[in-house]
């Protein structure tokens, strides 16, 4: 057949066949997709239900479409990109320039020819003619079906604006378009395609397909990457019957490849058998009230949303795992993804899970646990062998890489793969990127389609991220997933918004939440919602007394008085500069300065890791009384985000109530010898019922710079003065709603303008989230979103961008060297992150060292997109392992 005159993959160098014929590559990818859509897989069954098709018919239809993903390679313009030796191929036509990517050319070829192909019986259409009435419906349905296939390189493409005659040609021996038609005809017959009647009779069928097209696009991307792997799909440059290749080569190879990559079959879930089963049958393991509710909750058919609200230490993570195991065993998913607010909390969760995930699946499933964030390589618990490098295919152009070279990169990128592993742990950003127009976002949605999504500390996200999260929840429900949201301090309005978003995805009317109890488990499904009040775990009940300080000197005196009693103390400050100043003052007075630690965000990664280890050693759960004696920790917000440690006494700068509750959770966190009741001292302005506009700026200018909605701090001060303590869980609602549930009318007049400005900013953030996010309900089409290359941007709004700074030094020969001399990851360990305005103040790298810097970047991929800083030549700033980055007192400002 004439379609065997076209190559689909070409060898850049090496021995063996010089190319892989295009029909065979198309069948390789289709075979991978065939195996991924096994009839017993939950996602396959879910798609079949949503599209109203028998599983077998669905499988054939989607795999048939996938087999056409590289139609654009029939273009003679593309064929001119390589001239494989030793094989008979079409003659090159130099007049046809390869100026557009082959994925766009495939969309073009389909757009211009699908009607003639239907009428010529190439597609085995059940009717002899396509009526005018059918064309509009068919056009939309075929567009929704084929767009994910042509967009298999990570973003949708279009053939609009192109002319096939500029790319597809003919000569005396071959016609590109006819060759494509012949391949389609034989492939359609081979797959025994059964056209669903809904494709040309139902006006609404294509809209359902559009909403699911993102998941299908991810399936197509994964199929193409795996189907392009030469270790499993060897080149064949000689013709053979398509049926023989399909049955004897493509499908067996696909089975072996998926087994090698861990996608051969869904992991087999183990039914939940009680909390004790996770811990070797220990009889002393007793479920908390929240965990007991998770054990008893009914699980009706369909997507489930759970919102778990309880105090720190109530076992929310384990409760979520109980629900997750029950959902998996009930067929609600094929794996889990834990989404957390920061890399630090992701690391902590990864370590906390340990081998617990192995209790969710059978031993023969060998479930994978993968960490996903930008600095995962630095986590010592995360040890995973990367796939061996495979021989590379020829890249088509400088900006159009072959699928197998992308596959190599993907296999080494656990941030992406975490959403495909049985259990992934990472930042919320990795999931939110699925709703933003980044290349390969569809792969993330496909991965999440197979998961129970667990979002921890859901209260920690600003309005921009909340809006993105709501859109993610809507789509996750729409594609049949389940989700759990974990929080200790969730405002009631936010709980309602998250539930509403889930209901939109389910296509049901939202219900108004009624209960204000705390702790509380909320469950939302198609049948309605349930709000289950939960008792408090006795050990989690805490009363933290609140006292007030109005001057920094009072805080210093309080610290010194506590040290004289042998106590350990933490002072959480809201800015790095305030923390450094307090650290200098306390260390100067401390009889043993070595017992003082400073911990903030402006340390190089190597020092940050060292400081984290020191904090845990001195104040962690296993720290002894002798070691803890007289320890002082001055820290910023990074302290409350990740470190499992506790202190006898805590001072905190005034902050919104949810953050103070979180900080108080590090106060006497672990059971120790008898000690005084926990007490949190808050450094705040003198209390006034009628503050002026600068009430916070005067004593705490840094705090106002961080928390610009000063009404939140004033309301926090008011509710804490009224209640006198943080009593959890009894007064949790009163504390949170006393700050976040207060209307503008209840504020002092001087704070109203600031609040209105903040509300306006929040509306802008929500609008920006809508502007940035994909309209997922409109389908996987090129005009949906402003597409960009993948980068971990856009998931968070910040006042100004941050820049990764690489600390550099000169070695004994005067050559440029990384700040940290380490055998592994020296490039990452030498970095710190600064706001752009701060980074601009650092001295630029001297010109004589530019070539050495370029050489370093070639050696360390972690140095790409970073700013170099040669510390010793900067007269305005210096770096100290104890202080971090700091400004020289007499240096330029």
């Amino acid at each position: 057949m004439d379609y065997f005159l076209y190559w689909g993959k070409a060898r850049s160098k090496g021995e063996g066949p010089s190319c892989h014929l295009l029909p065979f590559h198309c069948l390789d990818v289709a075979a991978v997709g065939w195996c991924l859509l096994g009839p017993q897989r939950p996602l396959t069954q879910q798609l079949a239900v949503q599209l109203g098709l028998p599983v077998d018919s669905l499988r054939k239809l989607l795999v048939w479409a996938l087999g056409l993903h590289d139609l654009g390679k029939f273009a003679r313009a593309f064929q001119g990109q390589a001239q494989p030796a030793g094989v008979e191929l079409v003659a090159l036509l130099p007049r046809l320039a390869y100026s557009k990517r082959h994925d766009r050319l495939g969309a073009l070829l389909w757009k211009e020819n699908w009607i003639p192909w239907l009428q010529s019986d190439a597609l085995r259409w059940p009717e002899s003619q396509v009526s005018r009435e059918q064309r509009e419906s068919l056009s939309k349905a075929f567009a929704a079906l084929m767009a994910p296939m042509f967009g298999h390189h990570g973003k949708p493409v279009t053939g609009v604006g192109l002319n096939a005659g500029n790319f597809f040609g003919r000569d005396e021996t071959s016609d590109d378009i006819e060759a494509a038609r012949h391949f389609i005809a034989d492939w359609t017959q081979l797959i025994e395609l059964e056209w669903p009647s809904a494709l040309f009779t139902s006006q609404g069928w294509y809209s359902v397909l559009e909403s699911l097209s993102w998941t299908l696009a991810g399936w197509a991307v994964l199929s193409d990457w795996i189907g392009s792997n030469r270790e499993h799909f060897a080149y064949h440059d000689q013709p053979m019957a398509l049926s023989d290749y399909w049955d004897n080569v493509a499908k067996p190879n696909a089975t072996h490849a998926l087994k090698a990559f861990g996608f051969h079959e869904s992991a087999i879930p183990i039914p939940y058998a009680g909390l004790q089963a996770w811990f070797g049958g220990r009889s002393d393991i007793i479920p908390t009230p929240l965990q007991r509710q998770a054990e008893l909750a009914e699980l009706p058919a369909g997507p489930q949303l759970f919102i778990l609200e309880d105090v720190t230490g109530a076992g929310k993570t384990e409760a979520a795992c109980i629900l997750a195991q029950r959902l998996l065993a009930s067929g609600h998913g094929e794996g889990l993804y834990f989404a957390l607010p920061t890399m630090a909390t992701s690391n902590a969760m990864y370590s906390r899970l340990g081998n617990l995930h192995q209790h969710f699946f059978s031993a023969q499933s060998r479930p994978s646990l993968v960490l996903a964030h930008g600095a995962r390589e630095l986590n010592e618990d995360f040890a995973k062998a990367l796939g061996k490098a495979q021989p590379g295919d020829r890249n088509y152009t400088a900006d159009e890489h072959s699928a197998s070279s992308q596959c190599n990169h993907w296999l080494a990128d656990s941030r992406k793969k975490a959403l495909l592993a049985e259990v992934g742990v990472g930042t919320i950003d990795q999931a939110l990127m699925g709703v933003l127009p980044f290349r390969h976002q569809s792969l993330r949605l496909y991965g999440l389609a197979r998961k129970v999504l667990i979002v921890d500390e859901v209260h920690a996200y600003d309005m921009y991220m909340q809006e993105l999260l709501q859109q993610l929840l809507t789509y996750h429900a729409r594609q049949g997933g389940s989700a759990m949201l974990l929080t200790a301090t969730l405002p009631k309005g936010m709980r309602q918004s998250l539930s509403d978003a889930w209901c939109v995805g389910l296509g049901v009317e939202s219900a108004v939440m009624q209960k204000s109890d705390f702790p509380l488990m909320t469950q939302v499904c198609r049948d309605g919602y349930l709000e289950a009040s939960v008792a408090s775990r006795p050990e989690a009940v805490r009363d933290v007394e609140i006292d007030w300080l109005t001057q920094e000197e009072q805080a210093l005196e309080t610290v010194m008085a506590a040290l004289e009693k042998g106590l350990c103390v933490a002072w959480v400050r809201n800015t790095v500069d305030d923390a450094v100043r307090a650290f200098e003052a306390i260390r100067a007075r401390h009889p043993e300065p070595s017992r003082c630690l400073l911990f903030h965000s402006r340390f190089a990664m190597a020092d940050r890791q060292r400081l984290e280890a020191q904090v845990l050693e001195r104040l962690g759960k296993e720290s002894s009384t002798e070691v803890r004696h007289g320890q002082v920790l001055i820290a910023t917000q990074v302290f409350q985000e990740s470190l499992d440690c506790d202190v006898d006494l805590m001072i905190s700068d005034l902050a919104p109530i949810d953050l103070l509750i979180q900080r108080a959770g590090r106060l006497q966190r672990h059971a120790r010898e008898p000690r005084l009741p926990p007490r949190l001292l808050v450094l705040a302005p003198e209390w006034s019922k009628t503050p002026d506009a600068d009430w916070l700026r005067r004593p705490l200018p840094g705090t106002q710079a961080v928390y610009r909605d000063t009404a939140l701090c004033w309301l926090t001060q008011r509710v804490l003065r009224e209640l006198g303590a943080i009593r959890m869980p009894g007064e949790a609602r009163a504390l949170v709603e006393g700050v976040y549930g207060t209307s503008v009318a209840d504020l002092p007049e001087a704070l109203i303008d600031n609040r209105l400005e903040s509300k306006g900013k929040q509306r802008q953030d929500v609008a920006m989230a809508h502007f940035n996010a994909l309209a997922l309900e409109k389908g996987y089409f090129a005009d949906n979103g402003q597409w960009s290359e993948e980068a971990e941007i856009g998931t968070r709004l910040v006042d100004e961008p941050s820049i990764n700074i690489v600390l550099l030094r000169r070695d004994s020969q005067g050559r440029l060297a990384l700040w940290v001399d380490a055998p592994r990851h020296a490039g990452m360990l030498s970095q710190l992150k600064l706001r752009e305005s701060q980074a601009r103040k650092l001295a630029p790298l001297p010109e004589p060292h530019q070539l050495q810097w370029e050489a370093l970047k070639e050696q360390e991929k972690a140095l790409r997109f970073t700013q170099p800083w040669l510390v010793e030549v900067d007269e305005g700033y210096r770096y100290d392992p104890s202080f971090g980055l700091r400004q020289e007192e007499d240096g330029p400002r």
Side-chain angles (χ1 to χ4, degrees):
M1 291 298 295
D2 51 358
Y3 49 72
F4 285 123
L5 298 175
Y6 296 79
W7 63 268
K9 313 289 288 185
R11 183 187 299 280
S12 57
K13 57 184 178 179
E15 299 179 356
S18 60
C19 71
H20 193 42
L21 296 182
L22 177 55
F24 296 152
H25 169 65
C26 291
L27 266 61
D28 290 340
V29 174
V32 174
W34 177 267
C35 295
L36 288 173
L37 282 181
Q40 301 306 316
R41 290 180 180 257
L43 180 59
T44 307
Q45 296 175 358
Q46 178 69 35
L47 291 171
V49 170
Q50 290 177 290
L51 290 170
L53 297 177
V55 169
D56 186 58
S57 297
L58 170 87
R59 194 185 194 191
K60 289 180 177 180
L61 175 66
L62 296 182
V63 171
W64 168 82
L66 181 61
L68 308 185
H69 74 285
D70 265 352
L71 276 185
K73 291 183 178 179
F74 278 103
R76 201 73 60 97
F78 174 84
Q79 291 295 306
Q81 296 307 295
Q83 300 181 43
V87 58
E88 181 183 358
L89 298 172
V90 292
L92 302 185
L93 299 177
R95 65 180 178 82
L96 300 177
Y98 186 59
S99 58
K100 301 298 178 183
R101 294 170 55 104
H102 75 274
D103 45 7
R104 286 197 65 190
L105 298 184
L108 167 66
L109 187 63
W110 178 264
K111 177 179 71 71
E112 293 194 358
N113 292 279
W114 70 270
I115 293 177
W117 286 341
L118 284 181
Q119 295 173 335
S120 70
D121 200 36
L123 299 178
R124 302 176 65 85
W125 193 246
E127 299 182 6
S128 59
Q129 294 293 324
V130 181
S131 68
R132 179 172 298 179
E133 292 75 17
Q134 288 177 329
R135 283 193 182 187
E136 182 177 356
S137 177
L138 279 173
S139 178
K140 293 178 180 179
F142 272 127
L145 177 64
M146 300 307 299
M149 313 308 163
F150 296 130
H152 61 275
H153 281 290
K155 67 177 183 179
V157 297
T158 179
V160 174
L162 303 180
N163 186 324
N166 294 330
F167 307 97
F168 295 86
R170 71 172 76 178
D171 54 25
E172 297 80 6
T173 59
S174 183
D175 181 320
D176 296 346
I177 297 177
E178 276 298 290
R181 184 178 72 84
H182 293 154
F183 169 70
I184 291 173
D186 288 354
W187 169 234
T188 304
Q189 182 175 5
L190 172 61
I191 200 73
E192 298 179 343
L193 179 62
E194 303 169 3
W195 289 110
S197 60
L199 187 65
F200 49 92
T201 61
S202 172
Q203 293 294 321
W205 192 78
Y206 66 82
S207 63
V208 178
L209 191 61
E210 282 178 346
S211 69
L212 297 173
S213 59
W214 306 93
T215 304
L216 298 181
W219 166 74
V221 169
L222 180 60
S223 298
D224 185 53
W225 281 353
I226 295 177
S228 300
N229 185 281
R230 281 180 49 199
E231 288 189 353
H232 297 281
F233 295 91
Y235 280 8
H236 287 255
D237 62 358
Q238 298 302 315
M240 65 185 297
L242 289 186
S243 58
D244 290 342
Y245 187 86
W246 176 248
D247 290 330
N248 302 323
V249 181
K251 288 201 289 186
N253 285 349
T255 299
H256 294 148
L258 290 178
K259 187 173 183 180
F261 289 136
F263 299 115
H264 177 54
E265 57 186 12
S266 299
I268 303 172
I270 298 175
Y272 178 69
L275 198 61
Q276 294 83 1
W278 292 354
F279 301 97
R282 285 172 48 187
S283 59
D284 60 327
I285 302 295
I286 301 174
T288 68
L290 182 65
Q291 293 163 3
R292 185 60 178 157
Q293 182 64 36
E295 292 178 330
L296 298 175
E298 294 186 11
L299 302 178
Q304 309 283 310
L305 172 69
F306 289 91
I307 303 177
L308 310 184
E309 300 176 80
D310 208 339
V311 298
T312 300
K316 291 190 292 293
T317 298
E318 289 76 13
C321 288
I322 291 171
L323 284 169
Q325 185 173 8
R326 295 184 61 210
L327 287 167
L328 293 175
S330 301
H332 285 79
E334 299 177 73
L336 316 174
Y337 182 73
F338 285 84
L340 297 109
T342 65
M343 289 190 293
T345 51
S346 301
N347 287 338
M349 179 62 72
Y350 183 81
S351 299
R352 183 176 178 183
L353 282 179
N355 293 323
L356 180 60
H357 74 287
Q358 296 184 1
H359 294 278
F360 299 159
F361 304 99
S362 65
Q364 60 266 36
S365 296
R366 291 188 292 180
S368 54
L369 171 63
V370 179
L371 181 64
H373 61 62
R376 59 170 175 85
E377 293 92 345
L378 302 182
N379 186 297
E380 291 301 325
D381 291 334
F382 178 54
K384 189 180 81 68
L386 299 178
K388 294 184 296 182
Q390 58 168 305
D393 293 311
R394 176 188 296 273
N395 287 328
Y396 309 133
T397 64
D399 64 346
E400 185 182 5
H401 300 292
S402 65
S404 60
S405 65
Q406 294 184 44
C407 186
N408 278 336
H409 180 267
W410 171 75
L411 288 173
D413 188 345
S414 291
R415 286 175 289 166
K416 289 179 182 177
K417 191 175 181 181
L419 295 178
L420 295 169
E422 279 81 15
V423 181
V425 179
T427 58
I428 184 64
D429 308 80
Q430 299 300 320
L432 293 182
M433 286 179 74
V435 302
L436 292 166
F438 292 126
R439 187 182 290 274
H440 303 124
Q441 56 75 227
S442 62
L443 189 70
R444 299 174 186 276
L445 292 182
Y446 172 72
L448 286 176
R450 307 165 58 237
K451 299 290 179 295
V452 176
L453 174 63
I454 302 175
V455 184
D456 200 7
E457 299 189 36
V458 71
H459 62 274
Y461 309 124
D462 59 23
M463 293 301 295
Y464 177 81
M465 295 182 71
Q466 283 284 340
E467 183 61 32
L468 293 181
L469 176 59
Q470 289 174 31
Q471 297 200 34
L472 177 63
L473 289 174
T474 294
Y475 190 76
H476 196 53
R478 184 178 291 139
Q479 65 178 358
S482 290
M484 278 171 273
L485 312 178
L486 283 54
T487 178
T489 54
L490 188 68
K492 189 175 179 180
M494 193 178 293
R495 175 164 62 107
Q496 183 70 56
S497 297
L498 293 166
S499 300
D500 291 347
W502 191 257
C503 290
V504 171
L506 294 179
V508 300
E509 187 175 348
S510 179
V512 177
M513 300 290 144
Q514 300 295 327
K515 288 192 175 182
S516 296
D517 299 5
F518 188 91
L520 187 70
M521 176 189 286
T522 303
Q523 181 180 4
V524 185
C525 58
R526 281 200 174 90
D527 296 335
Y529 75 97
L530 173 68
E531 296 172 289
S533 302
V534 181
S536 301
R537 181 187 184 188
E539 297 85 347
V541 175
R542 300 189 77 217
D543 290 358
V544 177
E545 297 178 9
I546 300 295
D547 284 329
W548 300 91
L549 305 172
T550 57
Q551 298 177 2
E552 287 189 5
E553 185 60 34
Q554 290 178 301
L556 296 173
E557 293 172 355
T558 301
V559 171
M560 299 313 299
L563 295 180
E564 290 180 4
K565 300 176 183 178
L567 303 179
C568 55
V569 186
W571 184 358
V572 186
R573 309 232 57 184
N574 291 331
T575 71
V576 174
D577 291 339
D578 288 344
V580 170
R581 188 173 64 254
F583 175 69
E584 288 180 309
I586 291 173
R587 194 170 72 159
R589 302 186 190 188
H590 201 299
E592 296 182 70
S594 62
R595 289 184 176 266
C596 296
L597 279 179
L598 176 65
F599 185 43
H600 57 69
S601 60
R602 290 188 207 160
F603 283 100
M605 183 62 75
D607 289 323
R608 180 161 178 168
Q609 288 189 327
R610 172 182 56 81
L611 287 167
E612 286 184 0
Q614 287 181 332
V615 171
L616 291 174
E617 179 184 356
R618 300 181 185 194
L619 301 171
K621 187 174 183 179
E622 305 302 325
S623 58
S624 66
T625 302
E626 181 181 357
V627 170
R628 295 168 62 83
H629 181 91
Q631 296 285 353
V632 181
L633 173 64
I634 309 297
T636 57
Q637 291 92 326
V638 294
F639 164 71
Q640 74 213 34
E641 292 175 349
S642 58
L643 299 179
D644 183 15
C645 57
D646 74 319
V647 292
D648 301 320
L649 178 70
M650 180 180 291
I651 302 171
S652 173
D653 292 355
L654 181 63
I657 187 63
D658 51 324
L659 298 181
L660 288 184
I661 292 173
Q662 190 176 14
R663 293 174 188 181
R666 298 313 195 255
L667 177 58
Q668 299 187 17
R669 181 183 182 93
H670 299 125
R672 299 188 186 277
E673 68 281 353
R675 50 189 177 184
L676 295 174
R679 190 162 62 107
L680 175 65
L681 293 95
V682 181
L683 177 60
E686 291 278 1
W687 169 246
S688 173
K689 292 183 179 180
T690 57
D692 60 34
D694 292 326
W695 71 281
L696 184 59
R697 181 182 290 111
R698 280 191 299 272
L700 296 170
T703 295
Q704 175 145 342
V706 174
Y707 305 115
R708 297 180 180 179
D709 186 359
T710 57
L712 292 178
C713 289
W714 184 84
L715 289 167
T716 296
Q717 195 173 8
R718 185 179 73 173
V719 72
L720 286 176
R721 285 186 174 275
E722 289 174 353
L723 299 178
I726 296 177
R727 300 183 182 91
M728 300 290 284
E731 295 179 348
R733 292 288 187 213
L735 289 166
V736 174
E737 297 303 325
V739 175
Y740 291 100
T742 303
S743 67
V744 173
D746 293 330
L747 294 176
E749 183 177 354
L751 303 185
I752 290 177
D753 287 347
N754 184 265
R755 167 50 63 91
L756 292 176
E757 181 181 348
S758 176
K759 290 293 186 182
K761 175 64 165 57
Q762 290 179 354
R763 287 191 291 271
Q764 291 177 2
D765 291 351
V766 171
M768 182 59 70
H770 277 287
F771 177 79
N772 287 345
L774 294 161
L776 295 175
E777 71 280 0
K778 293 183 179 180
Y780 189 77
F781 297 115
D783 59 353
N784 191 347
Q786 300 298 316
W787 292 82
S788 65
E789 293 301 312
E790 180 171 333
E792 203 161 330
I793 59 174
T795 57
R796 301 173 189 247
L797 277 188
V798 292
D799 294 331
E800 62 176 298
S802 60
I803 294 178
N804 286 334
I805 304 298
V806 180
L807 278 67
L808 301 170
R809 58 184 174 83
R810 284 189 280 227
D811 63 18
S812 57
Q813 281 78 42
R815 295 173 302 190
L816 205 62
L818 292 168
W819 186 260
V820 176
D821 184 11
R824 295 188 305 152
H825 314 308
M828 296 186 71
L829 292 170
S830 298
Q831 292 184 36
L832 61 82
K833 185 170 290 188
L834 290 179
R835 297 196 306 272
E836 187 177 48
S837 59
Q838 295 171 323
R840 284 199 299 264
K841 298 177 182 178
L842 300 179
L845 185 68
E847 183 62 32
H849 291 295
Q850 288 294 337
L851 289 178
Q852 294 177 17
W853 167 242
E854 293 300 324
L856 276 177
K857 286 197 295 184
E858 287 294 320
Q859 298 170 17
E860 290 267 357
K861 69 174 184 178
L863 302 184
R864 290 181 298 174
F865 313 115
T866 61
Q867 176 179 322
W869 180 40
L870 184 56
V871 179
E872 60 197 72
V873 304
D874 199 323
E875 297 180 356
Y877 290 84
R878 62 190 174 94
Y879 184 83
D880 185 284
S882 297
F883 285 87
L885 176 71
R886 62 186 310 192
Q887 191 171 21
E888 290 282 13
E889 293 182 3
D890 300 324
R893 293 184 179 274

